[in-house]
Amino acid sequence: MVGRTQQTVSHEDLMRFLDGEVTPEERAAIEGRLEASSELRRKFAIFRSMKADFRDLSFAPQDGDSVWDRIRTRISMPVGWGLTIAGFVGWSAYGIWTFVKSPSAIAVKLAAGAVVIGIMVLLAQVIWDRYHEYGSDPYRNVHR
């Protein structure tokens, strides 16, 4: 390294110098080359800036993306949706059975059935539209 430093300082040597991994002789030789070469000082400034940028990087999960969020996504949410759907189906079946067996007039049953079916059709249409829009939504991954 010492003989080579008199001619040129490699990128690896600059990084070792920046990290404090050079011997005192190598340090003196590189400092001498830095004083003599503006191009070498420019490269050194770039490396120092890159080192600072890398030091500031965080590889920790962002925006609450923790292990528990992944567990919730893979376990809790499917279980919750499954129980919700099962409960809704059971409740709906009981409601329909009770509705059919009630002594109300057929006209009242048809009117109430039309309202419920209309609401269900509208809800299904909104869900269908949101499902198709989700795939092409340009703001899907934008977070505040």
Side-chain angles (χ1 to χ4, degrees):
M1 162 55 205
V2 175
R4 206 174 63 197
T5 304
Q6 293 171 353
Q7 296 173 0
T8 181
V9 177
S10 70
H11 291 209
E12 292 83 14
D13 293 337
L14 276 178
M15 290 305 296
R16 288 185 327 111
F17 175 76
L18 188 62
D19 292 338
E21 298 174 350
V22 293
T23 64
E25 296 84 21
E26 291 173 332
R27 173 172 291 286
I30 293 173
E31 286 173 349
R33 289 290 296 152
L34 281 169
E35 289 178 19
S37 173
S38 62
E39 179 64 22
L40 193 57
R41 282 193 303 270
R42 184 186 69 80
K43 286 182 183 179
F44 181 70
I46 290 171
F47 286 152
R48 187 175 35 215
S49 174
M50 286 182 359
K51 182 179 179 182
D53 289 344
F54 281 123
R55 184 178 40 242
D56 293 340
L57 282 179
S58 171
F59 296 102
Q62 299 281 331
D63 297 326
D65 185 22
S66 70
V67 173
W68 294 112
D69 288 334
R70 289 187 211 119
I71 290 172
R72 182 184 60 85
T73 301
R74 291 188 180 194
I75 296 174
S76 301
M77 287 182 66
V79 168
W81 276 108
L83 291 173
T84 301
I85 290 169
F88 181 76
V89 168
W91 177 75
S92 297
Y94 175 74
I96 291 170
W97 181 76
T98 303
F99 183 72
V100 170
K101 294 294 182 181
S102 72
S104 300
I106 190 73
V108 172
K109 288 181 180 181
L110 289 176
V115 169
V116 170
I117 290 171
I119 290 172
M120 295 303 286
V121 167
L122 291 173
L123 179 63
Q125 184 63 42
V126 168
I127 292 171
W128 183 258
D129 289 343
R130 289 297 298 153
Y131 174 74
H132 281 290
E133 182 182 321
Y134 180 77
S136 62
D137 185 9
Y139 302 109
R140 180 176 65 213
N141 294 323
V142 175
H143 302 284
R144 287 186 173 203

